């Protein structure tokens, strides 16, 4: 079958959300293999990390509100974009209608469900 014309109709990427023991990170992926992380850092910063695309220089975030490209830096745990916890893009991720997309050069797009785990990390980081 041909791929869907719209990312909102694509199947979700394989995996599940997991919350870290300290609640500071939400990880998406198959057991033992993280693809994407939402992590609270000191100073009320949120790191969005594509663990499966360590050399990507940008992350593209699509939500039902629109699309935004973020500069990313290569780090040992993956391509990382950092946002202030108050950035409106994080609200768009949390309130996207059921799903959002994370794109990175050199890796397949991730279509992820907008479940409570990343929202909890974001809200706690704002606290």
């Amino acid at each position: 079958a041909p791929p869907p014309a719209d990312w909102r109709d694509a199947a979700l990427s394989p995996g599940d959300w997991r919350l870290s023991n300290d609640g500071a990170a939400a990880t998406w992926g198959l057991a033992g293999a993280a693809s994407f992380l939402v992590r609270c850092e000191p100073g009320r910063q949120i790191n969005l990390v594509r663990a499966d695309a360590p050399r990507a220089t940008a992350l593209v975030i699509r939500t039902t509100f629109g699309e935004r490209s973020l500069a990313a830096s290569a780090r040992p745990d993956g391509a990382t974009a950092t946002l202030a916890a108050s950035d409106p893009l994080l609200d768009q991720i949390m309130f996207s209608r059921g799903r959002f997309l994370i794109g990175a050069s050199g890796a397949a797009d991730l279509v992820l469900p907008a479940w409570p785990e990343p929202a909890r990390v974001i809200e706690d980081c704002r606290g």
Side-chain angles (χ1 to χ4, degrees):
D6 189 322
W7 70 271
R8 292 172 287 197
D9 297 325
L12 293 173
S13 298
D16 204 357
W17 281 111
R18 290 172 187 77
L19 197 59
S20 64
N21 290 338
D22 64 0
T27 305
W28 175 266
L30 298 171
S35 300
F36 181 68
L37 292 89
V38 176
R39 184 173 53 224
C40 179
E41 299 291 343
R44 295 187 183 180
Q45 300 288 308
I46 296 284
N47 280 349
L48 303 177
V49 183
R50 270 300 295 259
D52 62 349
R55 300 194 191 287
T57 58
L59 298 181
V60 176
I61 315 298
R62 284 190 196 126
T63 70
T64 54
F65 298 94
E67 178 179 311
R68 186 162 148 199
S69 182
L70 304 171
S73 57
R75 295 190 183 170
D77 58 345
T80 303
T82 302
L83 298 169
S86 60
D87 193 299
L89 177 61
L90 299 170
D91 292 308
Q92 293 172 6
I93 289 171
M94 289 189 300
F95 298 111
S96 191
R97 291 188 182 141
R99 62 185 56 213
F100 60 98
L101 180 142
I102 308 292
S105 58
D109 289 341
L110 292 176
V111 179
L112 308 179
W115 287 355
E117 292 85 351
R120 178 177 171 189
V121 170
I122 293 165
E123 288 297 328
D124 286 354
C125 199
R126 289 174 171 171

